[in-house]
């Protein structure tokens, strides 16, 4: 197989370990002689996978007592609706820091009144700050990493009302003080596993406070009470996610990930800031460690396609920026090695010297 440097934003790079172990289990799961794709989710072998994923997730993020971790289908986008369905009585407060946040707002509006702050005025190049959280809202919703715009909120904010966070693209990239949150969710396909499984961390005492009837599958309590086995879970995805958790633990956990992510991002941001032709798009104080967005300066704009082609020749893939920002986006998730970032920086310098 061709060796490439994978900068895709999602689905995205996974540890070799995750892929290799999952392939083995797809052929013969836990010595059962049956493929992971063909084994009952009620078997004791698969049940052990689900329980271990739950336990390890709690261990790695240091999740305190009183919280449940569930794995469900539907992607983070289903959570955009499940959060207000389960938590919104009258009013909620949303921080509109990007396209994903605004999609969450669209769903929440179905269920009640939404107050918000937004950074749309600058094409989401910064994370809104200094706002007052209304005390009469049922919860505040934030997006910690804005995958499309390359901005990130890297500290855990203090909130007087329940704090809900979409952490799809930065979960397990750094330590998080989970006790400050009421609920954290995200799709797996950015930092954890293949698309198809979604994690939700729920503080149990926030449930049961809305009066509307909830369909079973859209009720968090159903999944909490049934240990994510109310219906058939995405078994292969959960297995792969567990392998990533094992890999992460063996690497030294979230502290080590944070250290590596800071180092990788520093190398790339330094290259961007010292370049004569490239320039970053996010405001410096809010720059993401996971998705690094940059464009060609105005006078070099016509070379955009050329750079992508040049990068591809050097086996650097997935660098095309999202259409709403343009230019380039290098996603530097946990599994991306430093060597890939160095290869990209080398390519940028070589390209620059030619133009
Ligand atoms: C990718 C992404 C989503 C959407 O996830 P799906 O699993 O495709 O629904 C939501 N929020 C953020 C921050 C994302 O990066």
């Amino acid at each position: 197989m061709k060796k490439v440097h994978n900068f895709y934003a999602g689905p995205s790079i996974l540890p070799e370990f995750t892929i290799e172990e999952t392939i083995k289990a797809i052929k013969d799961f836990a010595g059962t002689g049956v493929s992971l794709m063909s084994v009952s989710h009620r078997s004791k072998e698969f049940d052990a996978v689900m329980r271990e994923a739950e336990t390890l997730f709690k261990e790695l993020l240091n999740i305190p007592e009183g919280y449940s971790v569930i794995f469900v289908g539907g992607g983070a986008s289903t959570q955009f609706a499940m959060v207000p369905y389960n938590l919104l009585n009258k009013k909620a407060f949303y921080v509109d820091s990007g396209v994903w946040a605004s999609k969450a707002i669209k769903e929440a509006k179905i269920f009640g009144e939404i107050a918000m702050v937004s950074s749309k005025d600058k094409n989401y190049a910064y994370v809104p700050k200094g706002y007052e959280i209304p005390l009469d809202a049922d919860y505040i919703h934030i997006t910690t990493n804005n995958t499309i715009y390359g901005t990130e909120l890297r500290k855990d904010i203090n909130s007087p009302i329940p704090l809900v966070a979409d952490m799809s693209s930065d979960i397990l990239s750094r330590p998080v003080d989970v006790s400050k949150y009421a609920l954290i969710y995200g799709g797996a396909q950015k930092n954890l596993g293949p698309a198809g499984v979604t994690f939700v961390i729920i503080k149990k005492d926030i449930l049961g406070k809305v009066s509307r009837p909830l369909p079973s599958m859209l009720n968090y309590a159903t999944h909490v009470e049934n240990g994510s086995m109310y219906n058939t879970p995405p078994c292969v995805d959960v297995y792969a996610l567990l392998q990533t958790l094992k890999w992460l633990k063996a690497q030294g956990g979230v502290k080590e990930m944070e250290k590596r992510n800071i180092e990788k991002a520093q190398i790339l941001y330094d290259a961007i800031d010292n370049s004569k032709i490239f320039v970053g798009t996010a405001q410096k104080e809010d720059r993401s460690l996971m998705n690094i967005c940059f464009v060609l300066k105005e006078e070099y704009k016509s070379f955009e396609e050329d750079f992508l082609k040049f990068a591809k020749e050097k086996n650097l893939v997935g660098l095309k920026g999202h259409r709403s920002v343009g230019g380039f986006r290098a996603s530097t998730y946990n599994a991306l090695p430093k060597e890939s970032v160095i290869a990209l920086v080398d390519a940028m310098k070589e390209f620059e010297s030619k133009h």
Side-chain angles (χ1 to χ4, degrees):
M1 203 167 92
K2 190 161 88 177
K3 260 266 177 247
V4 299
H5 301 286
N6 180 354
F7 292 96
Y8 281 115
S12 43
I13 187 165
L14 290 171
E16 271 304 306
F17 177 80
T18 298
I19 294 167
E20 291 302 325
E21 292 303 307
T22 307
I23 289 170
K24 281 188 220 160
I26 285 173
K27 289 186 171 162
D28 177 7
F29 172 51
T32 55
V34 176
S35 166
L36 175 60
M37 295 192 289
S38 311
V39 77
S40 167
H41 62 295
R42 305 281 175 207
S43 66
K44 74 172 191 319
E45 289 84 3
F46 187 77
D47 190 66
V49 167
M50 190 58 102
R51 301 289 76 82
E52 193 180 355
E54 219 177 83
T55 309
L56 201 47
F57 207 102
K58 285 183 175 169
E59 182 189 322
L60 288 167
L61 267 185
N62 208 2
I63 299 177
E65 282 294 304
Y67 286 79
S68 291
V69 174
I70 58 168
F71 299 105
V72 293
S77 300
T78 301
Q79 296 306 308
F80 295 164
M82 254 174 103
V83 165
Y85 213 173
N86 283 260
L87 305 180
L88 202 168
N89 266 313
K90 269 184 79 176
K91 177 178 169 183
F93 183 70
Y94 275 70
V95 178
D96 176 27
S97 54
V99 159
W100 296 117
S102 63
K103 285 187 170 170
I105 291 167
K106 178 178 171 227
E107 301 304 302
K109 281 182 174 164
I110 297 171
F111 300 96
E113 179 195 342
I114 303 302
M116 62 182 225
V117 282
S118 177
S119 52
K120 199 172 178 183
D121 57 329
K122 294 232 166 69
N123 197 27
Y124 298 117
Y126 67 100
V127 176
K129 284 175 228 58
Y131 47 83
E132 210 159 302
I133 300 172
L135 296 174
D136 61 344
D138 296 317
Y139 63 87
I140 163 177
H141 180 283
I142 61 172
T143 310
T144 49
N145 185 65
N146 299 288
T147 323
I148 293 174
Y149 303 90
T151 63
E152 187 176 15
L153 178 66
R154 278 166 58 209
K155 63 169 199 285
D156 305 307
I157 62 170
N158 293 310
S159 169
I161 59 173
L163 174 61
V164 174
D166 174 357
M167 290 197 189
S168 292
S169 52
D170 62 350
I171 188 72
L172 290 166
S173 67
R174 63 161 191 278
V176 167
D177 181 356
V178 175
S179 71
K180 288 189 171 173
Y181 297 81
L183 192 145
I184 300 170
Y185 66 86
Q189 71 273 22
K190 312 283 163 58
N191 229 352
L192 295 178
V197 60
T198 311
F199 67 87
V200 190
I201 305 165
I202 311 164
K203 191 176 190 187
K204 279 180 257 186
D205 68 14
I206 61 157
L207 298 180
K209 293 191 177 150
V210 290
S211 49
R212 70 176 68 88
L214 297 165
S216 309
M217 278 299 286
L218 299 180
N219 186 346
Y220 287 124
T222 305
H223 302 287
V224 170
E225 284 158 16
N226 291 281
S228 304
M229 296 276 219
Y230 175 73
N231 73 323
T232 319
C235 299
V236 175
D237 300 317
V238 172
Y239 186 88
L241 179 147
L242 171 59
Q243 306 317 306
T244 305
L245 299 180
K246 286 182 178 175
W247 172 84
L248 214 149
K249 184 175 173 177
Q251 300 299 305
V254 285
K255 272 223 167 81
E256 176 63 23
M257 286 301 128
E258 182 180 45
K259 195 178 126 221
R260 292 183 195 178
N261 291 331
I262 289 173
E263 195 189 358
K264 285 184 286 180
Q266 185 80 51
I267 295 170
L268 187 46
Y269 282 125
D270 279 350
I272 293 167
D273 292 341
N274 291 317
S275 167
K276 290 195 179 65
I277 63 169
F278 296 106
V279 60
T281 56
Q283 286 193 5
K284 284 191 180 169
E285 72 276 15
D286 294 328
R287 281 173 160 181
S288 168
L289 299 187
M290 298 279 98
N291 310 97
I292 298 177
C293 297
F294 54 103
V295 293
L296 281 161
K297 289 183 185 167
E298 216 44 57
E299 60 270 39
Y300 299 99
K301 274 269 192 291
S302 57
F303 296 123
E304 204 167 293
E305 281 304 316
D306 292 343
F307 179 67
L308 286 172
K309 239 169 77 194
F310 180 77
K312 196 147 186 234
E313 280 159 19
K314 303 215 167 281
N315 291 322
L316 303 157
V317 302
L319 285 168
K320 193 173 167 58
H322 190 276
R323 61 188 180 280
S324 46
V325 182
F328 318 104
R329 169 174 54 176
S331 296
T332 51
Y333 297 121
N334 285 346
L336 186 89
K338 189 165 100 179
E339 293 68 54
S340 292
V341 175
I342 293 170
L344 171 58
V345 167
D346 288 346
M348 288 164 69
K349 286 183 180 153
E350 194 183 329
F351 190 80
E352 182 168 333
S353 72
K354 287 183 175 163
H355 291 83

